[in-house]
Amino acid sequence: DSTRTAMVRKIEQAIEQGVPAFNHGNHAKCAEIYMTTVTSLAENQQIDCSVRSSMSALVTKAGKVHCKTTRAWMLRGGLDQAYDTLSN
């Protein structure tokens, strides 16, 4: 449970940092913040394998997207999904 709580907090922190960056037009910075967190979730062996798997697939998919705005939104969707799974 402590790992889940820590990952939920990590997601919250990423969103707290990413939203202002995005809203100020720095979509690349937002995508970078989100990608760091999604990668961390994908690599964390202590969380549910379905979350790791979906985050790993998202890292690969988002890495192929060149539009920073689209990448930020894609990653945010994944973070929201992981948040829902880990916080319940």
Side-chain angles (χ1 to χ4, degrees), residues 56-74:
S56 180
L58 182 56
V59 167
T60 301
K61 185 176 178 182
K64 296 176 183 176
V65 173
H66 298 290
C67 175
K68 305 301 185 209
T69 304
T70 301
R71 183 184 295 174
W73 277 113
M74 180 185 296

Side-chain angles (χ1 to χ4, degrees), residues 15-83:
I15 292 170
E16 288 169 7
Q17 293 172 3
V19 168
F22 189 91
N23 289 341
H24 284 98
N26 196 344
H27 299 180
K29 179 66 175 174
C30 177
E32 179 184 315
I33 292 166
Y34 292 168
M35 182 64 95
T36 298
T37 303
V38 169
T39 301
S40 174
L41 291 167
E43 294 173 350
N44 190 322
Q45 296 296 314
Q46 296 178 342
I47 61 173
D48 185 86
C49 66
S50 66
V51 173
R52 284 196 327 268
S53 177
S54 63
M55 293 300 102
S56 180
L58 182 56
V59 167
T60 301
K61 185 176 178 182
K64 296 176 183 176
V65 173
H66 298 290
C67 175
K68 305 301 185 209
T69 304
T70 301
R71 183 184 295 174
W73 277 113
M74 180 185 296
L75 292 165
R76 173 60 190 268
L79 288 174
D80 289 345
Q81 179 184 27
Y83 184 88

